[in-house]
Amino acid sequence: MDLPKHFVIRESSHRVLNPIESAQLATLGAALRLPAGGTLLDLACGKGELLCTWAREHGITGTGVDISTAFLADARARAADLGVADRVTFLHGDAGAYVAAEPADVVACIGATWIGGDTPGTVRLMESSLKLGGMLLVGDVYWRADPPPEAVEALFGADCLSLPGQVERFHELGYDVVELVAADERGWDRYAAASWLSMRRWLDANPDDELAPEIRSELTRSQLQHVRWQRPYLGWGVFALLRR
């Protein structure tokens, strides 16, 4: 069980695997007023930047679960670099099937709301590892402006809501939104464009690899998709939720 190689190639230079920048991740950690010694479970943790930096800055402990062995290797190296390897643990596995043995103060799923089938399903999955009175952190997309049909088809389809629609959905699930840190066009550019250079460098170094046609196609498609649809229409944010 592992993440397909083209994802690893595409995001090889990324530290944060979402359109939120490191400074915004730090802003979110500070805004949540995390108690020292609190516990955090990060489902689909990627390279572990949230866990590692928050362990250093806020004294939390935590566990990250991800399907990618390559990303987890980067996460463990990052923990060692930041001196928090004794505070965070990274597990290889299916985040969509993981339930913590001990409920956590905070459960996060940042940008991987498909692990529970959809956003409501992922919220219910996260609840199974959350302490009573704990907080959920959900990173998800939304439409910033009314999209044309081509944008809906190219991106996330009917399950993607407007920002008010997202907040209303969380209300329907029984939660108050108590914090929000949203990506802007700069964040989208940094996330998307960094992958273009990574893919191009890989293609230059591996022209005869069996994955080269797929990577070439994705490089071309992703550039046009970003400038046509993602940048002008698609929003993304981390929503902090407390049960009503």
Side-chain angles (χ1 to χ4, degrees):
M1 180 174 57
D2 210 335
L3 194 68
K5 185 179 177 181
H6 74 271
F7 288 103
V8 178
I9 294 168
R10 185 180 71 192
E11 299 187 333
S12 60
S13 68
H14 290 62
R15 180 165 284 169
V16 180
L17 306 185
N18 288 293
I20 186 172
E21 297 186 88
S22 295
Q24 290 178 298
L25 197 63
T27 295
L28 177 63
L32 296 178
R33 304 167 224 166
L34 299 165
T39 56
L40 191 152
L41 171 65
D42 192 358
L43 297 175
C45 66
K47 297 183 181 181
E49 188 70 3
L50 181 151
L51 265 177
C52 292
T53 56
W54 288 9
R56 180 190 62 182
E57 299 300 325
H58 305 291
I60 65 165
T61 62
T63 300
V65 183
D66 203 274
I67 197 174
S68 172
T69 54
F71 291 166
L72 290 173
D74 287 341
R76 294 184 183 110
R78 182 65 167 156
D81 288 344
L82 296 183
V84 296
D86 61 334
R87 303 188 63 81
V88 295
T89 302
F90 293 102
L91 304 176
H92 178 241
D94 178 8
Y98 185 84
V99 177
E102 295 291 335
D105 296 304
V106 181
V107 178
C109 181
I110 309 298
T113 51
W114 59 83
I115 65 170
D118 54 17
T119 300
T122 299
V123 168
R124 297 308 182 206
L125 169 69
M126 297 166 73
E127 289 174 340
S128 64
S129 295
L130 187 66
K131 283 183 180 178
L132 183 65
M135 179 181 291
L136 300 182
L137 300 179
V138 179
D140 209 357
V141 293
Y142 55 85
W143 295 118
R144 293 174 54 207
D146 289 339
E150 297 89 345
V152 176
E153 182 178 355
L155 296 173
F156 288 91
D159 189 53
C160 186
L161 306 176
S162 66
L163 181 54
Q166 273 283 27
V167 173
E168 288 173 354
R169 176 157 63 181
F170 291 132
H171 290 172
E172 291 167 1
L173 291 169
Y175 286 90
D176 284 318
V177 177
V178 295
E179 262 295 351
L180 168 63
V181 173
D184 54 19
E185 290 181 349
R186 172 190 163 104
W188 271 117
D189 288 345
R190 298 298 359 106
Y191 175 62
S195 70
W196 304 338
L197 183 57
S198 295
M199 287 188 282
R200 175 54 194 269
R201 294 294 191 220
W202 186 90
L203 285 167
D204 290 346
N206 301 275
D208 300 320
D209 191 282
E210 64 180 4
L211 273 180
E214 179 182 346
I215 298 298
R216 162 48 62 191
S217 176
E218 182 170 353
L219 175 57
T220 301
R221 178 190 56 79
S222 64
Q223 293 169 25
L224 293 172
Q225 179 175 283
H226 177 64
V227 297
R228 282 177 176 162
W229 313 126
Q230 191 165 268
R231 195 177 197 274
Y233 293 105
L234 196 64
W236 188 92
V238 181
F239 301 83
L241 310 178
L242 287 176
R243 170 67 73 178
R244 289 185 157 188

PDB file of all heavy atoms in Angstrom, residues 146-172:
ATOM      1  N   ASP A 146     -18.976  31.938  -8.524  1.00  0.00           N
ATOM      2  CA  ASP A 146     -19.807  30.978  -9.248  1.00  0.00           C
ATOM      3  C   ASP A 146     -19.029  30.428 -10.438  1.00  0.00           C
ATOM      4  O   ASP A 146     -18.641  31.184 -11.338  1.00  0.00           O
ATOM      5  CB  ASP A 146     -21.086  31.649  -9.730  1.00  0.00           C
ATOM      6  CG  ASP A 146     -22.040  31.964  -8.598  1.00  0.00           C
ATOM      7  OD1 ASP A 146     -21.913  31.326  -7.530  1.00  0.00           O
ATOM      8  OD2 ASP A 146     -22.902  32.850  -8.772  1.00  0.00           O
ATOM      9  N   PRO A 147     -18.799  29.113 -10.475  1.00  0.00           N
ATOM     10  CA  PRO A 147     -17.960  28.556 -11.535  1.00  0.00           C
ATOM     11  C   PRO A 147     -18.760  28.243 -12.794  1.00  0.00           C
ATOM     12  O   PRO A 147     -19.936  27.868 -12.719  1.00  0.00           O
ATOM     13  CB  PRO A 147     -17.438  27.267 -10.900  1.00  0.00           C
ATOM     14  CG  PRO A 147     -18.576  26.829 -10.028  1.00  0.00           C
ATOM     15  CD  PRO A 147     -19.188  28.105  -9.484  1.00  0.00           C
ATOM     16  N   PRO A 148     -18.150  28.365 -13.956  1.00  0.00           N
ATOM     17  CA  PRO A 148     -18.796  27.861 -15.165  1.00  0.00           C
ATOM     18  C   PRO A 148     -18.804  26.338 -15.149  1.00  0.00           C
ATOM     19  O   PRO A 148     -18.035  25.714 -14.404  1.00  0.00           O
ATOM     20  CB  PRO A 148     -17.897  28.395 -16.292  1.00  0.00           C
ATOM     21  CG  PRO A 148     -16.561  28.576 -15.652  1.00  0.00           C
ATOM     22  CD  PRO A 148     -16.830  28.950 -14.238  1.00  0.00           C
ATOM     23  N   PRO A 149     -19.655  25.720 -15.945  1.00  0.00           N
ATOM     24  CA  PRO A 149     -19.724  24.247 -15.947  1.00  0.00           C
ATOM     25  C   PRO A 149     -18.378  23.591 -16.227  1.00  0.00           C
ATOM     26  O   PRO A 149     -18.080  22.524 -15.683  1.00  0.00           O
ATOM     27  CB  PRO A 149     -20.736  23.947 -17.055  1.00  0.00           C
ATOM     28  CG  PRO A 149     -21.586  25.174 -17.139  1.00  0.00           C
ATOM     29  CD  PRO A 149     -20.679  26.321 -16.829  1.00  0.00           C
ATOM     30  N   GLU A 150     -17.556  24.230 -17.061  1.00  0.00           N
ATOM     31  CA  GLU A 150     -16.251  23.645 -17.381  1.00  0.00           C
ATOM     32  C   GLU A 150     -15.367  23.546 -16.148  1.00  0.00           C
ATOM     33  O   GLU A 150     -14.602  22.589 -15.981  1.00  0.00           O
ATOM     34  CB  GLU A 150     -15.552  24.472 -18.466  1.00  0.00           C
ATOM     35  CG  GLU A 150     -16.282  24.516 -19.792  1.00  0.00           C
ATOM     36  CD  GLU A 150     -17.291  25.662 -19.873  1.00  0.00           C
ATOM     37  OE1 GLU A 150     -17.630  26.236 -18.812  1.00  0.00           O
ATOM     38  OE2 GLU A 150     -17.721  25.976 -20.993  1.00  0.00           O
ATOM     39  N   ALA A 151     -15.447  24.546 -15.261  1.00  0.00           N
ATOM     40  CA  ALA A 151     -14.643  24.516 -14.034  1.00  0.00           C
ATOM     41  C   ALA A 151     -15.131  23.415 -13.098  1.00  0.00           C
ATOM     42  O   ALA A 151     -14.322  22.710 -12.483  1.00  0.00           O
ATOM     43  CB  ALA A 151     -14.706  25.871 -13.338  1.00  0.00           C
ATOM     44  N   VAL A 152     -16.445  23.256 -12.990  1.00  0.00           N
ATOM     45  CA  VAL A 152     -16.999  22.205 -12.141  1.00  0.00           C
ATOM     46  C   VAL A 152     -16.537  20.839 -12.633  1.00  0.00           C
ATOM     47  O   VAL A 152     -16.104  19.983 -11.852  1.00  0.00           O
ATOM     48  CB  VAL A 152     -18.539  22.278 -12.129  1.00  0.00           C
ATOM     49  CG1 VAL A 152     -19.120  21.118 -11.334  1.00  0.00           C
ATOM     50  CG2 VAL A 152     -18.998  23.609 -11.552  1.00  0.00           C
ATOM     51  N   GLU A 153     -16.594  20.629 -13.943  1.00  0.00           N
ATOM     52  CA  GLU A 153     -16.189  19.344 -14.511  1.00  0.00           C
ATOM     53  C   GLU A 153     -14.691  19.109 -14.335  1.00  0.00           C
ATOM     54  O   GLU A 153     -14.255  17.997 -14.014  1.00  0.00           O
ATOM     55  CB  GLU A 153     -16.552  19.297 -15.996  1.00  0.00           C
ATOM     56  CG  GLU A 153     -16.199  17.972 -16.657  1.00  0.00           C
ATOM     57  CD  GLU A 153     -16.616  17.933 -18.120  1.00  0.00           C
ATOM     58  OE1 GLU A 153     -17.258  18.898 -18.588  1.00  0.00           O
ATOM     59  OE2 GLU A 153     -16.284  16.942 -18.790  1.00  0.00           O
ATOM     60  N   ALA A 154     -13.883  20.151 -14.507  1.00  0.00           N
ATOM     61  CA  ALA A 154     -12.429  19.999 -14.457  1.00  0.00           C
ATOM     62  C   ALA A 154     -11.907  19.820 -13.048  1.00  0.00           C
ATOM     63  O   ALA A 154     -10.868  19.189 -12.838  1.00  0.00           O
ATOM     64  CB  ALA A 154     -11.758  21.209 -15.103  1.00  0.00           C
ATOM     65  N   LEU A 155     -12.628  20.348 -12.057  1.00  0.00           N
ATOM     66  CA  LEU A 155     -12.111  20.347 -10.690  1.00  0.00           C
ATOM     67  C   LEU A 155     -12.887  19.372  -9.816  1.00  0.00           C
ATOM     68  O   LEU A 155     -12.747  18.177  -9.945  1.00  0.00           O
ATOM     69  CB  LEU A 155     -12.116  21.774 -10.136  1.00  0.00           C
ATOM     70  CG  LEU A 155     -11.172  22.744 -10.898  1.00  0.00           C
ATOM     71  CD1 LEU A 155     -11.349  24.162 -10.405  1.00  0.00           C
ATOM     72  CD2 LEU A 155      -9.731  22.324 -10.775  1.00  0.00           C
ATOM     73  N   PHE A 156     -13.728  19.839  -8.928  1.00  0.00           N
ATOM     74  CA  PHE A 156     -14.241  18.973  -7.867  1.00  0.00           C
ATOM     75  C   PHE A 156     -15.712  18.603  -7.988  1.00  0.00           C
ATOM     76  O   PHE A 156     -16.238  17.926  -7.112  1.00  0.00           O
ATOM     77  CB  PHE A 156     -13.984  19.621  -6.504  1.00  0.00           C
ATOM     78  CG  PHE A 156     -12.529  19.582  -6.125  1.00  0.00           C
ATOM     79  CD1 PHE A 156     -11.691  20.624  -6.459  1.00  0.00           C
ATOM     80  CD2 PHE A 156     -12.014  18.493  -5.458  1.00  0.00           C
ATOM     81  CE1 PHE A 156     -10.349  20.578  -6.117  1.00  0.00           C
ATOM     82  CE2 PHE A 156     -10.678  18.435  -5.114  1.00  0.00           C
ATOM     83  CZ  PHE A 156      -9.839  19.485  -5.450  1.00  0.00           C
ATOM     84  N   GLY A 157     -16.385  19.052  -9.014  1.00  0.00           N
ATOM     85  CA  GLY A 157     -17.738  18.585  -9.229  1.00  0.00           C
ATOM     86  C   GLY A 157     -18.745  19.115  -8.221  1.00  0.00           C
ATOM     87  O   GLY A 157     -18.520  20.087  -7.507  1.00  0.00           O
ATOM     88  N   ALA A 158     -19.869  18.431  -8.138  1.00  0.00           N
ATOM     89  CA  ALA A 158     -21.010  18.938  -7.387  1.00  0.00           C
ATOM     90  C   ALA A 158     -20.770  18.954  -5.880  1.00  0.00           C
ATOM     91  O   ALA A 158     -21.454  19.677  -5.154  1.00  0.00           O
ATOM     92  CB  ALA A 158     -22.250  18.099  -7.708  1.00  0.00           C
ATOM     93  N   ASP A 159     -19.820  18.170  -5.381  1.00  0.00           N
ATOM     94  CA  ASP A 159     -19.599  18.132  -3.934  1.00  0.00           C
ATOM     95  C   ASP A 159     -18.906  19.388  -3.425  1.00  0.00           C
ATOM     96  O   ASP A 159     -18.886  19.640  -2.228  1.00  0.00           O
ATOM     97  CB  ASP A 159     -18.762  16.904  -3.546  1.00  0.00           C
ATOM     98  CG  ASP A 159     -18.694  16.712  -2.034  1.00  0.00           C
ATOM     99  OD1 ASP A 159     -19.772  16.682  -1.404  1.00  0.00           O
ATOM    100  OD2 ASP A 159     -17.587  16.624  -1.495  1.00  0.00           O
ATOM    101  N   CYS A 160     -18.333  20.178  -4.316  1.00  0.00           N
ATOM    102  CA  CYS A 160     -17.666  21.419  -3.915  1.00  0.00           C
ATOM    103  C   CYS A 160     -18.713  22.513  -3.754  1.00  0.00           C
ATOM    104  O   CYS A 160     -19.477  22.805  -4.668  1.00  0.00           O
ATOM    105  CB  CYS A 160     -16.620  21.820  -4.951  1.00  0.00           C
ATOM    106  SG  CYS A 160     -15.615  23.238  -4.472  1.00  0.00           S
ATOM    107  N   LEU A 161     -18.755  23.124  -2.586  1.00  0.00           N
ATOM    108  CA  LEU A 161     -19.751  24.133  -2.244  1.00  0.00           C
ATOM    109  C   LEU A 161     -19.127  25.522  -2.251  1.00  0.00           C
ATOM    110  O   LEU A 161     -17.907  25.675  -2.327  1.00  0.00           O
ATOM    111  CB  LEU A 161     -20.336  23.841  -0.860  1.00  0.00           C
ATOM    112  CG  LEU A 161     -20.913  22.447  -0.634  1.00  0.00           C
ATOM    113  CD1 LEU A 161     -21.353  22.300   0.817  1.00  0.00           C
ATOM    114  CD2 LEU A 161     -22.070  22.168  -1.580  1.00  0.00           C
ATOM    115  N   SER A 162     -19.963  26.531  -2.132  1.00  0.00           N
ATOM    116  CA  SER A 162     -19.478  27.880  -1.862  1.00  0.00           C
ATOM    117  C   SER A 162     -18.973  27.946  -0.434  1.00  0.00           C
ATOM    118  O   SER A 162     -19.207  27.034   0.379  1.00  0.00           O
ATOM    119  CB  SER A 162     -20.602  28.897  -2.052  1.00  0.00           C
ATOM    120  OG  SER A 162     -21.605  28.694  -1.054  1.00  0.00           O
ATOM    121  N   LEU A 163     -18.295  29.054  -0.077  1.00  0.00           N
ATOM    122  CA  LEU A 163     -17.841  29.208   1.308  1.00  0.00           C
ATOM    123  C   LEU A 163     -19.027  29.236   2.278  1.00  0.00           C
ATOM    124  O   LEU A 163     -19.002  28.526   3.296  1.00  0.00           O
ATOM    125  CB  LEU A 163     -16.980  30.456   1.447  1.00  0.00           C
ATOM    126  CG  LEU A 163     -16.404  30.734   2.839  1.00  0.00           C
ATOM    127  CD1 LEU A 163     -15.637  29.539   3.377  1.00  0.00           C
ATOM    128  CD2 LEU A 163     -15.506  31.978   2.803  1.00  0.00           C
ATOM    129  N   PRO A 164     -20.084  30.007   2.012  1.00  0.00           N
ATOM    130  CA  PRO A 164     -21.251  29.908   2.900  1.00  0.00           C
ATOM    131  C   PRO A 164     -21.828  28.494   2.952  1.00  0.00           C
ATOM    132  O   PRO A 164     -22.277  28.037   4.011  1.00  0.00           O
ATOM    133  CB  PRO A 164     -22.243  30.906   2.304  1.00  0.00           C
ATOM    134  CG  PRO A 164     -21.398  31.902   1.581  1.00  0.00           C
ATOM    135  CD  PRO A 164     -20.266  31.097   1.020  1.00  0.00           C
ATOM    136  N   GLY A 165     -21.813  27.813   1.802  1.00  0.00           N
ATOM    137  CA  GLY A 165     -22.314  26.440   1.781  1.00  0.00           C
ATOM    138  C   GLY A 165     -21.494  25.510   2.646  1.00  0.00           C
ATOM    139  O   GLY A 165     -22.035  24.625   3.317  1.00  0.00           O
ATOM    140  N   GLN A 166     -20.170  25.711   2.652  1.00  0.00           N
ATOM    141  CA  GLN A 166     -19.316  24.901   3.516  1.00  0.00           C
ATOM    142  C   GLN A 166     -19.665  25.129   4.990  1.00  0.00           C
ATOM    143  O   GLN A 166     -19.783  24.177   5.771  1.00  0.00           O
ATOM    144  CB  GLN A 166     -17.843  25.248   3.293  1.00  0.00           C
ATOM    145  CG  GLN A 166     -17.156  24.476   2.173  1.00  0.00           C
ATOM    146  CD  GLN A 166     -16.810  23.049   2.591  1.00  0.00           C
ATOM    147  OE1 GLN A 166     -17.437  22.450   3.450  1.00  0.00           O
ATOM    148  NE2 GLN A 166     -15.800  22.483   1.955  1.00  0.00           N
ATOM    149  N   VAL A 167     -19.786  26.390   5.371  1.00  0.00           N
ATOM    150  CA  VAL A 167     -20.095  26.692   6.772  1.00  0.00           C
ATOM    151  C   VAL A 167     -21.460  26.113   7.145  1.00  0.00           C
ATOM    152  O   VAL A 167     -21.624  25.535   8.230  1.00  0.00           O
ATOM    153  CB  VAL A 167     -20.037  28.209   7.015  1.00  0.00           C
ATOM    154  CG1 VAL A 167     -20.515  28.548   8.429  1.00  0.00           C
ATOM    155  CG2 VAL A 167     -18.611  28.720   6.805  1.00  0.00           C
ATOM    156  N   GLU A 168     -22.430  26.241   6.256  1.00  0.00           N
ATOM    157  CA  GLU A 168     -23.750  25.667   6.526  1.00  0.00           C
ATOM    158  C   GLU A 168     -23.678  24.155   6.676  1.00  0.00           C
ATOM    159  O   GLU A 168     -24.354  23.557   7.530  1.00  0.00           O
ATOM    160  CB  GLU A 168     -24.712  26.037   5.397  1.00  0.00           C
ATOM    161  CG  GLU A 168     -25.111  27.508   5.407  1.00  0.00           C
ATOM    162  CD  GLU A 168     -25.931  27.886   4.179  1.00  0.00           C
ATOM    163  OE1 GLU A 168     -26.086  27.019   3.279  1.00  0.00           O
ATOM    164  OE2 GLU A 168     -26.395  29.035   4.125  1.00  0.00           O
ATOM    165  N   ARG A 169     -22.842  23.503   5.863  1.00  0.00           N
ATOM    166  CA  ARG A 169     -22.696  22.054   5.977  1.00  0.00           C
ATOM    167  C   ARG A 169     -22.118  21.662   7.334  1.00  0.00           C
ATOM    168  O   ARG A 169     -22.580  20.693   7.950  1.00  0.00           O
ATOM    169  CB  ARG A 169     -21.819  21.505   4.841  1.00  0.00           C
ATOM    170  CG  ARG A 169     -21.553  20.026   4.946  1.00  0.00           C
ATOM    171  CD  ARG A 169     -21.202  19.382   3.629  1.00  0.00           C
ATOM    172  NE  ARG A 169     -19.968  19.891   3.060  1.00  0.00           N
ATOM    173  CZ  ARG A 169     -19.475  19.480   1.884  1.00  0.00           C
ATOM    174  NH1 ARG A 169     -20.135  18.580   1.165  1.00  0.00           N
ATOM    175  NH2 ARG A 169     -18.356  19.974   1.417  1.00  0.00           N
ATOM    176  N   PHE A 170     -21.136  22.417   7.820  1.00  0.00           N
ATOM    177  CA  PHE A 170     -20.590  22.118   9.142  1.00  0.00           C
ATOM    178  C   PHE A 170     -21.645  22.317  10.227  1.00  0.00           C
ATOM    179  O   PHE A 170     -21.723  21.537  11.181  1.00  0.00           O
ATOM    180  CB  PHE A 170     -19.357  22.976   9.418  1.00  0.00           C
ATOM    181  CG  PHE A 170     -18.165  22.612   8.572  1.00  0.00           C
ATOM    182  CD1 PHE A 170     -17.444  23.591   7.907  1.00  0.00           C
ATOM    183  CD2 PHE A 170     -17.766  21.291   8.431  1.00  0.00           C
ATOM    184  CE1 PHE A 170     -16.339  23.265   7.131  1.00  0.00           C
ATOM    185  CE2 PHE A 170     -16.662  20.953   7.650  1.00  0.00           C
ATOM    186  CZ  PHE A 170     -15.949  21.943   6.997  1.00  0.00           C
ATOM    187  N   HIS A 171     -22.488  23.349  10.066  1.00  0.00           N
ATOM    188  CA  HIS A 171     -23.591  23.544  11.017  1.00  0.00           C
ATOM    189  C   HIS A 171     -24.521  22.332  11.012  1.00  0.00           C
ATOM    190  O   HIS A 171     -24.944  21.846  12.070  1.00  0.00           O
ATOM    191  CB  HIS A 171     -24.390  24.791  10.660  1.00  0.00           C
ATOM    192  CG  HIS A 171     -23.654  26.069  10.914  1.00  0.00           C
ATOM    193  ND1 HIS A 171     -24.146  27.295  10.500  1.00  0.00           N
ATOM    194  CD2 HIS A 171     -22.471  26.329  11.529  1.00  0.00           C
ATOM    195  CE1 HIS A 171     -23.297  28.242  10.872  1.00  0.00           C
ATOM    196  NE2 HIS A 171     -22.270  27.677  11.488  1.00  0.00           N
ATOM    197  N   GLU A 172     -24.835  21.846   9.819  1.00  0.00           N
ATOM    198  CA  GLU A 172     -25.728  20.697   9.704  1.00  0.00           C
ATOM    199  C   GLU A 172     -25.129  19.445  10.332  1.00  0.00           C
ATOM    200  O   GLU A 172     -25.864  18.568  10.826  1.00  0.00           O
ATOM    201  CB  GLU A 172     -26.059  20.441   8.233  1.00  0.00           C
ATOM    202  CG  GLU A 172     -26.933  21.525   7.612  1.00  0.00           C
ATOM    203  CD  GLU A 172     -26.991  21.433   6.098  1.00  0.00           C
ATOM    204  OE1 GLU A 172     -26.358  20.501   5.531  1.00  0.00           O
ATOM    205  OE2 GLU A 172     -27.658  22.272   5.474  1.00  0.00           O
TER     206      GLU A 172
END
